[in-house]
Amino acid sequence: MLKRPLPLVIPFAVLILVGIGLHWTPYRPNYRHLWSYAVPNSPQETYAALVHNTTPADSFRHNLRADTKYVTTWNSAGMTNVFQGYVNLIYLAFASGRVAVIPPLAPSPTHLGGKKSYHWLNFGRVFDIPRLSVAINSPLLEWADLKRAPYNVPWNKHMPPLEGVAMDEIGCWSLWEAVKDSGPQRTYMEQFLRLGTAKDVSYTPVPVNTVIQGRYGVHVWGLVDLFYERGRSLALAEPGLNSTLTPHSKVPLLPDDHLTCLDDLHIAHSWRISEWEYDMSPAWRFIGLHTHFTGKVEEAARRLIRRAAKLGAKDAIPPFIAIHARRHDIVGDCLEKMKNDTYCYAPLSVYANRVREVREELQERYGVESPLATPQFVIVTSDEKDPKWWNEVAKMGWLAIDHASDPNPDLAEWQPTVMDSVIQSMAIGFVGSKSSSFSLVSALRVRDWNGGAIRSVSWNHGKGG
């Protein structure tokens, strides 16, 4: 699942790591009040150092400090792709000395099911932002700290804005336009935050020299250059680099330099595409590794595990193996081409083989006498809805999570997605689905947080195994 970088790129990787330094503190020449930044004991103290007011304003500009520069993004996809984009955002801020402003988790109807309204969850409702800020010694904000919006409640594009909230027009950089040679990646986040009337942001494509060869993404360090005066000036002077008109005001706006914004940081990479699959991924090593779940969602996950394993409410949870069997959207292309369910869907016997391999690796690593070498049960998480398939899971002696047994109003329709992710992260062994970013990030957590063993199953594994 996780690949080793090619020898050709090792010197380049070493240069990056040496240049950054494992405990590097960002250089902030213009922000004197942040030089000695340390995360204080209370959120109120944190906000006071970074924004004008400790409560969100009607306009985000009313809360920006003149002596501080910020950076933000938005993208719409499954939760893990959004997570990776936000990790890239924090990495950009970390590298450039800016303050990251993290948007809420944007719902994806294809992943959360068809509904009229969805909860736009604050990032900090799922992930422990103060702990992350301490770990990377960098200040972090959420959009909920800057501007009023209907956070954490059901919202849809047809709902009126909150009373008194200003319509803030802004210009942003577009990675999507440069990479895809099409329009920018517009999302309903623009409307949710009332950055115009409806998808009203003005976009300027990032320069061609930031684009990775083959147009598979954009270089992080090319983006960092845009945050400084010389790099920004050179980019905006490029011939043919035009800003789109805002649908509302019909005027082009240059990318904002006070709150720099970018349309889709999921396609930003430090050195190559799919770098999260490689051991030296900077975004994972410096940011994602330290982005833990909140204690509240972890405790909710433990309750679900105890119910599934028939443990007492206060019983310790023994080491276990988690499986993520992604079934439907990931095999769409295979089914369309092959017209063969048997070929496209790996049978449970393949997962059983991977579970055996995980057990063997744990025994070799920790010794057969160690509790870590003898996981007590296997928990299966999946998007599969067919009861027959789940009956086969039960026949294997494996456990399933009953999300309905402990509804979590704080997470609402996000509960299965979030809880499955948290549960997987607690395992000592993990078997995921190849090509699934959800599986990939869970594998990284199991490996690097728990010292666990990881494997993956290909979605077109057929009867092999």
Side-chain angles (χ1 to χ4, degrees):
M1 178 180 293
L2 301 174
K3 305 173 184 176
R4 300 284 177 181
L6 299 175
L8 182 63
V9 301
I10 288 177
F12 181 59
V14 170
L15 285 175
I16 290 177
L17 296 178
V18 171
I20 294 175
L22 188 58
H23 299 289
W24 174 65
T25 300
Y27 176 50
R28 299 186 175 91
N30 298 322
Y31 324 134
R32 294 185 179 275
H33 65 287
L34 296 180
W35 277 4
S36 59
Y37 176 82
V39 178
N41 294 324
S42 78
Q44 296 295 332
E45 296 175 48
T46 304
Y47 303 155
L50 304 175
V51 295
H52 275 306
N53 304 294
T54 56
T55 56
D58 290 337
S59 168
F60 75 81
R61 296 194 186 280
H62 294 164
N63 253 338
L64 301 182
R65 292 179 57 127
D67 54 0
T68 303
K69 290 191 175 183
Y70 308 81
V71 59
T72 193
T73 187
W74 32 77
N75 57 300
S76 179
M79 189 185 82
T80 305
N81 285 3
V82 171
F83 170 79
Q84 290 176 304
Y86 292 178
V87 166
N88 285 339
L89 163 68
I90 299 167
Y91 183 55
L92 272 176
F94 178 75
S96 63
R98 290 189 175 232
V99 176
V101 181
I102 311 169
L105 295 169
S108 169
T110 57
H111 290 81
L112 297 182
K115 293 182 64 177
K116 292 183 178 180
S117 301
Y118 297 89
H119 291 68
W120 292 57
L121 291 187
N122 284 341
F123 192 78
R125 181 162 283 202
V126 178
F127 298 99
D128 192 336
I129 293 178
R131 180 178 179 181
L132 171 59
S133 189
V134 169
I136 65 175
N137 193 33
S138 291
L140 300 170
L141 288 173
E142 293 187 86
W143 265 94
D145 301 322
L146 290 187
K147 185 175 181 178
R148 291 172 55 219
Y151 307 105
N152 304 318
V153 297
W155 180 86
N156 66 64
K157 63 180 180 179
H158 303 296
M159 296 173 65
L162 298 181
E163 184 177 354
V165 173
M167 184 175 65
D168 293 314
E169 291 191 326
I170 190 171
C172 300
W173 292 102
S174 173
L175 287 66
W176 195 266
E177 194 168 356
V179 171
K180 304 297 182 180
D181 199 21
S182 62
Q185 175 78 311
R186 295 190 177 276
T187 77
Y188 286 109
M189 186 73 75
E190 301 169 26
Q191 183 180 349
F192 178 83
L193 297 172
R194 213 174 181 219
L195 305 177
T197 51
K199 299 187 176 182
D200 208 20
V201 169
S202 175
Y203 284 103
T204 302
V206 297
V208 174
N209 63 9
T210 67
V211 177
I212 295 174
Q213 186 176 6
R215 294 202 167 194
Y216 293 112
V218 174
H219 287 289
V220 163
W221 295 103
L223 298 177
V224 171
D225 191 41
L226 301 177
F227 298 172
Y228 294 92
E229 184 176 352
R230 184 173 183 274
R232 173 184 167 84
S233 299
L234 289 174
L236 293 176
E238 280 195 9
L241 204 66
N242 299 317
S243 303
T244 59
L245 301 180
T246 61
H248 175 68
S249 300
K250 306 298 183 187
V251 295
L253 298 175
L254 292 179
D256 201 288
D257 190 45
H258 196 184
L259 174 60
T260 297
C261 45
L262 307 103
D263 65 347
D264 187 359
L265 283 177
H266 181 251
I267 59 174
H269 312 282
S270 294
W271 62 291
R272 61 164 301 154
I273 63 169
S274 302
E275 66 186 20
W276 282 64
E277 298 180 9
Y278 293 81
D279 291 342
M280 61 74 61
S281 166
W284 169 254
R285 292 191 62 206
F286 295 114
I287 308 298
L289 175 66
H290 306 291
T291 310
H292 292 267
F293 297 104
T294 66
K296 191 172 183 179
V297 297
E298 287 182 341
E299 186 52 42
R302 292 188 190 99
R303 289 199 302 270
L304 290 170
I305 294 172
R306 289 189 178 103
R307 279 193 176 91
K310 294 181 171 52
L311 298 172
K314 296 184 179 181
D315 288 349
I317 297 174
F320 67 94
I321 294 171
I323 292 175
H324 176 228
R326 187 165 174 177
R327 298 274 291 170
H328 289 293
D329 58 337
I330 203 168
V331 299
D333 289 342
C334 177
L335 289 173
E336 185 175 339
K337 293 175 183 177
M338 304 301 298
K339 311 294 183 185
N340 187 329
D341 286 4
T342 303
Y343 178 82
C344 295
Y345 290 115
L348 291 177
S349 59
V350 176
Y351 289 93
N353 288 340
R354 298 295 174 269
V355 168
R356 187 194 70 247
E357 293 172 8
V358 164
R359 290 185 183 277
E360 290 171 352
E361 181 176 330
L362 291 173
Q363 290 175 3
E364 182 177 350
R365 182 181 305 173
Y366 294 108
V368 293
E369 301 299 324
S370 170
L372 297 178
T374 55
Q376 297 300 297
F377 48 83
V378 175
I379 293 178
V380 178
T381 59
S382 177
D383 60 345
E384 182 59 69
K385 305 298 183 186
D386 186 354
K388 294 180 181 178
W389 187 83
W390 283 105
N391 287 338
E392 293 302 312
V393 168
K395 290 178 182 177
M396 301 287 291
W398 297 341
L399 308 180
I401 297 296
D402 181 8
H403 293 285
S405 68
D406 189 9
N408 191 326
D410 286 347
L411 300 178
E413 67 276 358
W414 289 84
Q415 177 174 340
T417 303
V418 173
M419 286 293 99
D420 284 358
S421 184
V422 181
I423 289 167
Q424 291 164 17
S425 77
M426 294 176 169
I428 189 62
F430 179 72
V431 178
S433 298
K434 189 175 182 180
S435 302
S436 165
S437 57
F438 197 94
S439 283
L440 172 61
V441 174
S442 287
L444 290 169
R445 289 169 178 148
V446 169
R447 184 193 71 179
D448 294 345
W449 290 356
N450 308 337
I454 57 176
R455 293 292 188 277
S456 67
V457 171
S458 175
W459 51 263
N460 63 344
H461 205 294
K463 294 183 178 179

